[in-house]
Amino acid sequence: MKDFNFHTAHLKHPLSKTLIDALGADGEQAVELALKDFSDTFGKEYLDVLDGVYPEKGYMEQTS
């Protein structure tokens, strides 16, 4: 059974990819703002643990 980090990262990746693919720069900005809100709410360490969980690298790292 996969853990909470895997499932959270599994949601983060396709949602980020879909927004960026559909909206381009506006999608990137939306993802950045959402990740900032997540980090502000739960703490940066809870966002950092998702890096590399699913897929190997975050979508935004692969596209830069």
PDB file of all heavy atoms in Angstrom, residues 2 5-17 48-63:
ATOM      1  N   LYS A   2       0.549   2.187  -0.827  1.00  0.00           N
ATOM      2  CA  LYS A   2       1.314   3.437  -0.915  1.00  0.00           C
ATOM      3  C   LYS A   2       0.947   4.349   0.252  1.00  0.00           C
ATOM      4  O   LYS A   2      -0.165   4.316   0.761  1.00  0.00           O
ATOM      5  CB  LYS A   2       1.014   4.160  -2.226  1.00  0.00           C
ATOM      6  CG  LYS A   2       1.304   3.338  -3.456  1.00  0.00           C
ATOM      7  CD  LYS A   2       2.774   3.130  -3.630  1.00  0.00           C
ATOM      8  CE  LYS A   2       3.025   2.407  -4.941  1.00  0.00           C
ATOM      9  NZ  LYS A   2       4.403   2.120  -5.167  1.00  0.00           N
ATOM     10  N   ASN A   5       2.247  10.425   1.411  1.00  0.00           N
ATOM     11  CA  ASN A   5       3.092  11.270   0.558  1.00  0.00           C
ATOM     12  C   ASN A   5       2.965  10.878  -0.905  1.00  0.00           C
ATOM     13  O   ASN A   5       2.902  11.741  -1.784  1.00  0.00           O
ATOM     14  CB  ASN A   5       4.553  11.189   0.996  1.00  0.00           C
ATOM     15  CG  ASN A   5       4.798  11.868   2.323  1.00  0.00           C
ATOM     16  OD1 ASN A   5       3.988  12.649   2.790  1.00  0.00           O
ATOM     17  ND2 ASN A   5       5.921  11.561   2.935  1.00  0.00           N
ATOM     18  N   PHE A   6       2.930   9.590  -1.185  1.00  0.00           N
ATOM     19  CA  PHE A   6       2.784   9.136  -2.567  1.00  0.00           C
ATOM     20  C   PHE A   6       1.460   9.639  -3.147  1.00  0.00           C
ATOM     21  O   PHE A   6       1.419  10.178  -4.253  1.00  0.00           O
ATOM     22  CB  PHE A   6       2.847   7.608  -2.667  1.00  0.00           C
ATOM     23  CG  PHE A   6       2.581   7.115  -4.062  1.00  0.00           C
ATOM     24  CD1 PHE A   6       3.608   7.048  -4.993  1.00  0.00           C
ATOM     25  CD2 PHE A   6       1.307   6.746  -4.460  1.00  0.00           C
ATOM     26  CE1 PHE A   6       3.363   6.621  -6.293  1.00  0.00           C
ATOM     27  CE2 PHE A   6       1.052   6.311  -5.748  1.00  0.00           C
ATOM     28  CZ  PHE A   6       2.079   6.250  -6.674  1.00  0.00           C
ATOM     29  N   HIS A   7       0.374   9.456  -2.405  1.00  0.00           N
ATOM     30  CA  HIS A   7      -0.939   9.848  -2.926  1.00  0.00           C
ATOM     31  C   HIS A   7      -1.045  11.364  -3.100  1.00  0.00           C
ATOM     32  O   HIS A   7      -1.634  11.841  -4.084  1.00  0.00           O
ATOM     33  CB  HIS A   7      -2.047   9.309  -2.031  1.00  0.00           C
ATOM     34  CG  HIS A   7      -2.162   7.826  -2.091  1.00  0.00           C
ATOM     35  ND1 HIS A   7      -2.580   7.153  -3.215  1.00  0.00           N
ATOM     36  CD2 HIS A   7      -1.887   6.868  -1.180  1.00  0.00           C
ATOM     37  CE1 HIS A   7      -2.565   5.857  -3.003  1.00  0.00           C
ATOM     38  NE2 HIS A   7      -2.139   5.658  -1.777  1.00  0.00           N
ATOM     39  N   THR A   8      -0.469  12.125  -2.173  1.00  0.00           N
ATOM     40  CA  THR A   8      -0.492  13.580  -2.303  1.00  0.00           C
ATOM     41  C   THR A   8       0.332  14.025  -3.512  1.00  0.00           C
ATOM     42  O   THR A   8      -0.107  14.855  -4.308  1.00  0.00           O
ATOM     43  CB  THR A   8       0.048  14.236  -1.010  1.00  0.00           C
ATOM     44  OG1 THR A   8      -0.729  13.768   0.092  1.00  0.00           O
ATOM     45  CG2 THR A   8      -0.051  15.738  -1.080  1.00  0.00           C
ATOM     46  N   ALA A   9       1.509  13.430  -3.664  1.00  0.00           N
ATOM     47  CA  ALA A   9       2.342  13.750  -4.823  1.00  0.00           C
ATOM     48  C   ALA A   9       1.671  13.300  -6.120  1.00  0.00           C
ATOM     49  O   ALA A   9       1.778  13.975  -7.152  1.00  0.00           O
ATOM     50  CB  ALA A   9       3.716  13.097  -4.674  1.00  0.00           C
ATOM     51  N   HIS A  10       0.968  12.182  -6.059  1.00  0.00           N
ATOM     52  CA  HIS A  10       0.258  11.661  -7.232  1.00  0.00           C
ATOM     53  C   HIS A  10      -0.820  12.637  -7.688  1.00  0.00           C
ATOM     54  O   HIS A  10      -1.088  12.758  -8.881  1.00  0.00           O
ATOM     55  CB  HIS A  10      -0.342  10.294  -6.891  1.00  0.00           C
ATOM     56  CG  HIS A  10      -0.968   9.606  -8.050  1.00  0.00           C
ATOM     57  ND1 HIS A  10      -2.333   9.517  -8.195  1.00  0.00           N
ATOM     58  CD2 HIS A  10      -0.430   8.974  -9.116  1.00  0.00           C
ATOM     59  CE1 HIS A  10      -2.610   8.852  -9.310  1.00  0.00           C
ATOM     60  NE2 HIS A  10      -1.471   8.519  -9.891  1.00  0.00           N
ATOM     61  N   LEU A  11      -1.442  13.336  -6.785  1.00  0.00           N
ATOM     62  CA  LEU A  11      -2.425  14.366  -7.146  1.00  0.00           C
ATOM     63  C   LEU A  11      -1.732  15.643  -7.625  1.00  0.00           C
ATOM     64  O   LEU A  11      -2.178  16.274  -8.591  1.00  0.00           O
ATOM     65  CB  LEU A  11      -3.323  14.696  -5.952  1.00  0.00           C
ATOM     66  CG  LEU A  11      -4.298  13.604  -5.550  1.00  0.00           C
ATOM     67  CD1 LEU A  11      -4.973  13.963  -4.240  1.00  0.00           C
ATOM     68  CD2 LEU A  11      -5.333  13.395  -6.641  1.00  0.00           C
ATOM     69  N   LYS A  12      -0.648  16.015  -6.947  1.00  0.00           N
ATOM     70  CA  LYS A  12       0.063  17.252  -7.286  1.00  0.00           C
ATOM     71  C   LYS A  12       0.587  17.217  -8.718  1.00  0.00           C
ATOM     72  O   LYS A  12       0.452  18.197  -9.459  1.00  0.00           O
ATOM     73  CB  LYS A  12       1.219  17.439  -6.296  1.00  0.00           C
ATOM     74  CG  LYS A  12       2.098  18.623  -6.568  1.00  0.00           C
ATOM     75  CD  LYS A  12       3.257  18.658  -5.553  1.00  0.00           C
ATOM     76  CE  LYS A  12       4.353  19.567  -6.001  1.00  0.00           C
ATOM     77  NZ  LYS A  12       5.543  18.864  -6.444  1.00  0.00           N
ATOM     78  N   HIS A  13       1.153  16.113  -9.125  1.00  0.00           N
ATOM     79  CA  HIS A  13       1.767  16.029 -10.449  1.00  0.00           C
ATOM     80  C   HIS A  13       0.758  16.199 -11.594  1.00  0.00           C
ATOM     81  O   HIS A  13       0.929  17.097 -12.424  1.00  0.00           O
ATOM     82  CB  HIS A  13       2.536  14.719 -10.600  1.00  0.00           C
ATOM     83  CG  HIS A  13       3.026  14.485 -11.993  1.00  0.00           C
ATOM     84  ND1 HIS A  13       4.072  15.191 -12.542  1.00  0.00           N
ATOM     85  CD2 HIS A  13       2.594  13.655 -12.961  1.00  0.00           C
ATOM     86  CE1 HIS A  13       4.251  14.793 -13.787  1.00  0.00           C
ATOM     87  NE2 HIS A  13       3.371  13.865 -14.064  1.00  0.00           N
ATOM     88  N   PRO A  14      -0.287  15.383 -11.688  1.00  0.00           N
ATOM     89  CA  PRO A  14      -1.184  15.539 -12.846  1.00  0.00           C
ATOM     90  C   PRO A  14      -1.971  16.843 -12.828  1.00  0.00           C
ATOM     91  O   PRO A  14      -2.240  17.409 -13.892  1.00  0.00           O
ATOM     92  CB  PRO A  14      -2.106  14.325 -12.783  1.00  0.00           C
ATOM     93  CG  PRO A  14      -2.013  13.823 -11.392  1.00  0.00           C
ATOM     94  CD  PRO A  14      -0.659  14.230 -10.878  1.00  0.00           C
ATOM     95  N   LEU A  15      -2.317  17.332 -11.636  1.00  0.00           N
ATOM     96  CA  LEU A  15      -3.021  18.615 -11.589  1.00  0.00           C
ATOM     97  C   LEU A  15      -2.113  19.740 -12.069  1.00  0.00           C
ATOM     98  O   LEU A  15      -2.543  20.607 -12.840  1.00  0.00           O
ATOM     99  CB  LEU A  15      -3.519  18.901 -10.172  1.00  0.00           C
ATOM    100  CG  LEU A  15      -4.671  18.026  -9.694  1.00  0.00           C
ATOM    101  CD1 LEU A  15      -4.964  18.290  -8.223  1.00  0.00           C
ATOM    102  CD2 LEU A  15      -5.916  18.268 -10.534  1.00  0.00           C
ATOM    103  N   SER A  16      -0.858  19.727 -11.629  1.00  0.00           N
ATOM    104  CA  SER A  16       0.101  20.749 -12.084  1.00  0.00           C
ATOM    105  C   SER A  16       0.312  20.655 -13.584  1.00  0.00           C
ATOM    106  O   SER A  16       0.288  21.661 -14.298  1.00  0.00           O
ATOM    107  CB  SER A  16       1.436  20.573 -11.356  1.00  0.00           C
ATOM    108  OG  SER A  16       1.290  20.769  -9.978  1.00  0.00           O
ATOM    109  N   LYS A  17       0.522  19.447 -14.082  1.00  0.00           N
ATOM    110  CA  LYS A  17       0.758  19.237 -15.507  1.00  0.00           C
ATOM    111  C   LYS A  17      -0.440  19.713 -16.339  1.00  0.00           C
ATOM    112  O   LYS A  17      -0.272  20.398 -17.348  1.00  0.00           O
ATOM    113  CB  LYS A  17       1.046  17.768 -15.793  1.00  0.00           C
ATOM    114  CG  LYS A  17       1.345  17.487 -17.260  1.00  0.00           C
ATOM    115  CD  LYS A  17       1.678  16.037 -17.499  1.00  0.00           C
ATOM    116  CE  LYS A  17       2.008  15.687 -18.929  1.00  0.00           C
ATOM    117  NZ  LYS A  17       1.550  16.520 -19.993  1.00  0.00           N
ATOM    118  N   ASP A  48       8.197  19.817   0.765  1.00  0.00           N
ATOM    119  CA  ASP A  48       9.506  19.293   0.352  1.00  0.00           C
ATOM    120  C   ASP A  48       9.539  17.769   0.301  1.00  0.00           C
ATOM    121  O   ASP A  48      10.217  17.205  -0.553  1.00  0.00           O
ATOM    122  CB  ASP A  48      10.609  19.799   1.283  1.00  0.00           C
ATOM    123  CG  ASP A  48      10.877  21.283   1.111  1.00  0.00           C
ATOM    124  OD1 ASP A  48      10.432  21.864   0.097  1.00  0.00           O
ATOM    125  OD2 ASP A  48      11.518  21.866   2.010  1.00  0.00           O
ATOM    126  N   VAL A  49       8.824  17.097   1.197  1.00  0.00           N
ATOM    127  CA  VAL A  49       8.856  15.623   1.205  1.00  0.00           C
ATOM    128  C   VAL A  49       8.213  15.025  -0.040  1.00  0.00           C
ATOM    129  O   VAL A  49       8.427  13.857  -0.344  1.00  0.00           O
ATOM    130  CB  VAL A  49       8.216  15.001   2.470  1.00  0.00           C
ATOM    131  CG1 VAL A  49       8.940  15.431   3.719  1.00  0.00           C
ATOM    132  CG2 VAL A  49       6.737  15.290   2.548  1.00  0.00           C
ATOM    133  N   LEU A  50       7.443  15.822  -0.776  1.00  0.00           N
ATOM    134  CA  LEU A  50       6.795  15.316  -1.989  1.00  0.00           C
ATOM    135  C   LEU A  50       7.738  15.272  -3.187  1.00  0.00           C
ATOM    136  O   LEU A  50       7.479  14.556  -4.145  1.00  0.00           O
ATOM    137  CB  LEU A  50       5.576  16.176  -2.330  1.00  0.00           C
ATOM    138  CG  LEU A  50       4.495  16.268  -1.255  1.00  0.00           C
ATOM    139  CD1 LEU A  50       3.386  17.203  -1.716  1.00  0.00           C
ATOM    140  CD2 LEU A  50       3.956  14.907  -0.893  1.00  0.00           C
ATOM    141  N   ASP A  51       8.842  16.019  -3.110  1.00  0.00           N
ATOM    142  CA  ASP A  51       9.802  16.037  -4.214  1.00  0.00           C
ATOM    143  C   ASP A  51      10.368  14.646  -4.433  1.00  0.00           C
ATOM    144  O   ASP A  51      10.853  14.003  -3.504  1.00  0.00           O
ATOM    145  CB  ASP A  51      10.943  17.009  -3.938  1.00  0.00           C
ATOM    146  CG  ASP A  51      10.505  18.460  -4.015  1.00  0.00           C
ATOM    147  OD1 ASP A  51       9.444  18.724  -4.622  1.00  0.00           O
ATOM    148  OD2 ASP A  51      11.211  19.315  -3.464  1.00  0.00           O
ATOM    149  N   GLY A  52      10.281  14.184  -5.657  1.00  0.00           N
ATOM    150  CA  GLY A  52      10.847  12.892  -6.016  1.00  0.00           C
ATOM    151  C   GLY A  52       9.994  11.693  -5.659  1.00  0.00           C
ATOM    152  O   GLY A  52      10.387  10.563  -5.913  1.00  0.00           O
ATOM    153  N   VAL A  53       8.811  11.919  -5.065  1.00  0.00           N
ATOM    154  CA  VAL A  53       7.947  10.791  -4.703  1.00  0.00           C
ATOM    155  C   VAL A  53       7.225  10.256  -5.926  1.00  0.00           C
ATOM    156  O   VAL A  53       7.190   9.061  -6.167  1.00  0.00           O
ATOM    157  CB  VAL A  53       6.928  11.197  -3.610  1.00  0.00           C
ATOM    158  CG1 VAL A  53       5.960  10.066  -3.320  1.00  0.00           C
ATOM    159  CG2 VAL A  53       7.653  11.614  -2.335  1.00  0.00           C
ATOM    160  N   TYR A  54       6.653  11.135  -6.734  1.00  0.00           N
ATOM    161  CA  TYR A  54       5.903  10.754  -7.926  1.00  0.00           C
ATOM    162  C   TYR A  54       5.876  11.920  -8.876  1.00  0.00           C
ATOM    163  O   TYR A  54       5.409  12.990  -8.463  1.00  0.00           O
ATOM    164  CB  TYR A  54       4.469  10.382  -7.576  1.00  0.00           C
ATOM    165  CG  TYR A  54       3.625  10.082  -8.804  1.00  0.00           C
ATOM    166  CD1 TYR A  54       3.529   8.791  -9.292  1.00  0.00           C
ATOM    167  CD2 TYR A  54       2.943  11.078  -9.471  1.00  0.00           C
ATOM    168  CE1 TYR A  54       2.780   8.505 -10.414  1.00  0.00           C
ATOM    169  CE2 TYR A  54       2.191  10.801 -10.599  1.00  0.00           C
ATOM    170  CZ  TYR A  54       2.115   9.518 -11.060  1.00  0.00           C
ATOM    171  OH  TYR A  54       1.377   9.241 -12.164  1.00  0.00           O
ATOM    172  N   PRO A  55       6.264  11.796 -10.071  1.00  0.00           N
ATOM    173  CA  PRO A  55       7.186  10.787 -10.579  1.00  0.00           C
ATOM    174  C   PRO A  55       8.573  11.037 -10.024  1.00  0.00           C
ATOM    175  O   PRO A  55       8.711  11.747  -9.045  1.00  0.00           O
ATOM    176  CB  PRO A  55       7.120  10.980 -12.087  1.00  0.00           C
ATOM    177  CG  PRO A  55       6.799  12.436 -12.249  1.00  0.00           C
ATOM    178  CD  PRO A  55       5.925  12.789 -11.053  1.00  0.00           C
ATOM    179  N   GLU A  56       9.595  10.538 -10.679  1.00  0.00           N
ATOM    180  CA  GLU A  56      10.948  10.669 -10.158  1.00  0.00           C
ATOM    181  C   GLU A  56      11.311  12.126  -9.861  1.00  0.00           C
ATOM    182  O   GLU A  56      11.913  12.419  -8.866  1.00  0.00           O
ATOM    183  CB  GLU A  56      11.968  10.070 -11.130  1.00  0.00           C
ATOM    184  CG  GLU A  56      11.924   8.567 -11.178  1.00  0.00           C
ATOM    185  CD  GLU A  56      12.273   7.927  -9.838  1.00  0.00           C
ATOM    186  OE1 GLU A  56      13.227   8.378  -9.179  1.00  0.00           O
ATOM    187  OE2 GLU A  56      11.585   6.977  -9.449  1.00  0.00           O
ATOM    188  N   LYS A  57      10.939  13.029 -10.752  1.00  0.00           N
ATOM    189  CA  LYS A  57      11.155  14.456 -10.533  1.00  0.00           C
ATOM    190  C   LYS A  57       9.823  15.147 -10.740  1.00  0.00           C
ATOM    191  O   LYS A  57       8.976  14.681 -11.476  1.00  0.00           O
ATOM    192  CB  LYS A  57      12.177  15.023 -11.521  1.00  0.00           C
ATOM    193  CG  LYS A  57      13.577  14.555 -11.272  1.00  0.00           C
ATOM    194  CD  LYS A  57      14.529  15.295 -12.177  1.00  0.00           C
ATOM    195  CE  LYS A  57      15.945  14.896 -11.854  1.00  0.00           C
ATOM    196  NZ  LYS A  57      16.918  15.675 -12.608  1.00  0.00           N
ATOM    197  N   GLY A  58       9.664  16.297 -10.090  1.00  0.00           N
ATOM    198  CA  GLY A  58       8.444  17.073 -10.257  1.00  0.00           C
ATOM    199  C   GLY A  58       8.294  17.549 -11.687  1.00  0.00           C
ATOM    200  O   GLY A  58       9.282  17.760 -12.387  1.00  0.00           O
ATOM    201  N   TYR A  59       7.083  17.734 -12.112  1.00  0.00           N
ATOM    202  CA  TYR A  59       6.808  18.144 -13.495  1.00  0.00           C
ATOM    203  C   TYR A  59       7.513  19.446 -13.842  1.00  0.00           C
ATOM    204  O   TYR A  59       8.103  19.571 -14.902  1.00  0.00           O
ATOM    205  CB  TYR A  59       5.297  18.293 -13.698  1.00  0.00           C
ATOM    206  CG  TYR A  59       4.943  18.761 -15.079  1.00  0.00           C
ATOM    207  CD1 TYR A  59       5.062  17.887 -16.165  1.00  0.00           C
ATOM    208  CD2 TYR A  59       4.529  20.047 -15.331  1.00  0.00           C
ATOM    209  CE1 TYR A  59       4.750  18.312 -17.450  1.00  0.00           C
ATOM    210  CE2 TYR A  59       4.220  20.466 -16.608  1.00  0.00           C
ATOM    211  CZ  TYR A  59       4.329  19.599 -17.659  1.00  0.00           C
ATOM    212  OH  TYR A  59       4.029  20.008 -18.924  1.00  0.00           O
ATOM    213  N   MET A  60       7.496  20.397 -12.949  1.00  0.00           N
ATOM    214  CA  MET A  60       8.084  21.694 -13.252  1.00  0.00           C
ATOM    215  C   MET A  60       9.607  21.566 -13.391  1.00  0.00           C
ATOM    216  O   MET A  60      10.209  22.288 -14.170  1.00  0.00           O
ATOM    217  CB  MET A  60       7.700  22.720 -12.194  1.00  0.00           C
ATOM    218  CG  MET A  60       6.200  23.014 -12.252  1.00  0.00           C
ATOM    219  SD  MET A  60       5.627  24.114 -10.993  1.00  0.00           S
ATOM    220  CE  MET A  60       6.233  25.658 -11.616  1.00  0.00           C
ATOM    221  N   GLU A  61      10.248  20.653 -12.672  1.00  0.00           N
ATOM    222  CA  GLU A  61      11.688  20.443 -12.819  1.00  0.00           C
ATOM    223  C   GLU A  61      11.999  19.840 -14.181  1.00  0.00           C
ATOM    224  O   GLU A  61      13.005  20.156 -14.790  1.00  0.00           O
ATOM    225  CB  GLU A  61      12.211  19.511 -11.728  1.00  0.00           C
ATOM    226  CG  GLU A  61      12.160  20.116 -10.336  1.00  0.00           C
ATOM    227  CD  GLU A  61      12.544  19.094  -9.276  1.00  0.00           C
ATOM    228  OE1 GLU A  61      13.170  18.087  -9.595  1.00  0.00           O
ATOM    229  OE2 GLU A  61      12.172  19.341  -8.122  1.00  0.00           O
ATOM    230  N   GLN A  62      11.137  18.952 -14.656  1.00  0.00           N
ATOM    231  CA  GLN A  62      11.370  18.285 -15.944  1.00  0.00           C
ATOM    232  C   GLN A  62      11.229  19.257 -17.106  1.00  0.00           C
ATOM    233  O   GLN A  62      11.838  19.068 -18.143  1.00  0.00           O
ATOM    234  CB  GLN A  62      10.382  17.137 -16.135  1.00  0.00           C
ATOM    235  CG  GLN A  62      10.642  15.968 -15.213  1.00  0.00           C
ATOM    236  CD  GLN A  62       9.598  14.886 -15.383  1.00  0.00           C
ATOM    237  OE1 GLN A  62       8.634  15.034 -16.129  1.00  0.00           O
ATOM    238  NE2 GLN A  62       9.783  13.781 -14.693  1.00  0.00           N
ATOM    239  N   THR A  63      10.395  20.274 -16.960  1.00  0.00           N
ATOM    240  CA  THR A  63      10.133  21.178 -18.065  1.00  0.00           C
ATOM    241  C   THR A  63      11.040  22.396 -18.061  1.00  0.00           C
ATOM    242  O   THR A  63      10.994  23.186 -18.980  1.00  0.00           O
ATOM    243  CB  THR A  63       8.656  21.652 -18.055  1.00  0.00           C
ATOM    244  OG1 THR A  63       8.387  22.316 -16.819  1.00  0.00           O
ATOM    245  CG2 THR A  63       7.718  20.492 -18.268  1.00  0.00           C
TER     246      THR A  63
END
